[in-house]
Amino acid sequence: MSKMSAYRNFKRRERATQLAAEKNITFEEALAQIEARENKASETLAKMAKSRNKERNTKKEKKHDQKN
């Protein structure tokens, strides 16, 4: 496991422990919630990147059309 993966895993487990203590749920349930949040966030970021790339390509096409 790389250093970054180990660090990420450590922080994920730390957040799950804290969430479990705050919400009075099991560690496994808290960890599942943390992983679900991370997955949702990565999906959202991917959609934003796709939208941003689409916008860039549209601007490039308009600029190209204006030159001709």
Side-chain angles (χ1 to χ4, degrees), residues 6-22 27 30-31 34 38:
Y7 177 76
R8 254 189 223 143
N9 193 31
F10 168 75
K11 294 305 277 184
R12 180 184 295 138
R13 295 177 66 80
E14 186 177 62
R15 286 191 305 270
T17 303
Q18 185 179 18
L19 181 64
E22 290 173 1
F27 173 77
L31 189 58
I34 297 292
E38 289 175 350

Side-chain angles (χ1 to χ4, degrees), residues 14-64:
E14 186 177 62
R15 286 191 305 270
T17 303
Q18 185 179 18
L19 181 64
E22 290 173 1
K23 303 274 183 165
N24 294 326
I25 58 176
T26 66
F27 173 77
E28 289 79 16
E29 291 171 339
L31 189 58
Q33 287 183 14
I34 297 292
E35 289 173 351
R37 285 185 200 165
E38 289 175 350
N39 289 339
K40 185 69 176 170
S42 66
E43 288 173 8
T44 301
L45 288 173
K47 287 178 184 176
M48 290 170 63
K50 186 175 182 179
S51 175
R52 188 171 48 249
N53 289 337
K54 186 176 180 181
E55 187 176 315
R56 276 191 202 137
N57 289 339
T58 304
K59 285 181 182 179
K60 285 180 183 176
E61 288 174 7
K62 285 182 181 179
K63 198 173 192 179
H64 180 71

